[in-house]
Every structure is written in structure tokens, then in C-alpha cells.
Amino acid sequence: MPADSTSVAVPRSGCLAMKPTGTTNSAMALPQLKTHCRLDEPSKEVLRQAYDQFRMSVRSYYRVIRIARTIADLAGAEEISKDNILEALQYRPKAEV
């Protein structure tokens, strides 16, 4: 992968993340997160199952949503999809699993 494609993706994701909230996804407060990172029913169900199966904390639950929002931003999607949630779950530290 050429270096310039990476340098384009990072600013693009930051721009999309800051567009609706005025902040990055990682710094989004809970009210902003609930407003700008709404999940459809399949995404909610996958996240509910992961929450129960992995005994996630509430903090981890919202971290997965923030990461999924970033993944969606990098893909140029306006909505967080079930696939974005599944990918975000893969990035959880092994100690948490």
C-alpha cells in the first residue's frame, strides 16, 4: 500500500468524525455518542450478545461503538453497520476476552 493512501485516510476519518460533533470519535461524550452513533437493530443485537458473552463493562461497550464509528468513517459510511460492530469487537484487547 502506498504511503500517500494512508496519509489520505487518516485526515479523512478525522474530518468525518469531527463533522457532526465538533470532536473526534474517541473524545465524544455520552450524549453525543447516543445522538451521532445510533445503531440499527442487527447491530444492537450483535453488541448485546457480545456484552453478555464477554461480560463487557459499560465503558467497553461504548468503546466498541466509538471504534465502530471510526471504522464506518474510514469506509465513508454514514451509518454504523453490523459489520462495523463485528470488526470493532475484533480489536478488543485479548485480556478483555
Side-chain angles (χ1 to χ4, degrees), residues 3 20 64 91:
V64 168
Y91 294 123

Side-chain angles (χ1 to χ4, degrees), residues 7-83:
S7 64
V8 171
V10 172
R12 182 174 142 219
S13 67
C15 179
L16 289 173
M18 293 182 71
K19 192 176 188 179
T21 63
T23 187
T24 61
N25 292 336
S26 64
M28 220 182 288
L30 191 56
Q32 293 172 316
L33 189 71
K34 289 181 176 181
T35 301
H36 298 288
C37 298
R38 292 194 178 151
L39 304 175
D40 58 11
E41 282 307 312
S43 299
K44 285 181 187 177
E45 184 57 32
V46 166
L47 196 50
R48 270 189 223 116
Q49 289 174 357
Y51 181 82
D52 292 337
Q53 181 179 350
F54 300 133
R55 296 187 177 115
M56 294 167 61
S57 66
V58 174
R59 182 178 178 185
S60 293
Y61 176 89
Y62 286 112
R63 187 180 326 138
V64 168
I65 294 174
R66 285 182 177 97
I67 293 168
R69 175 70 267 164
T70 301
I71 293 166
D73 288 345
L74 288 169
E78 291 186 27
E79 302 284 328
I80 297 172
S81 71
K82 176 181 164 183
D83 291 337

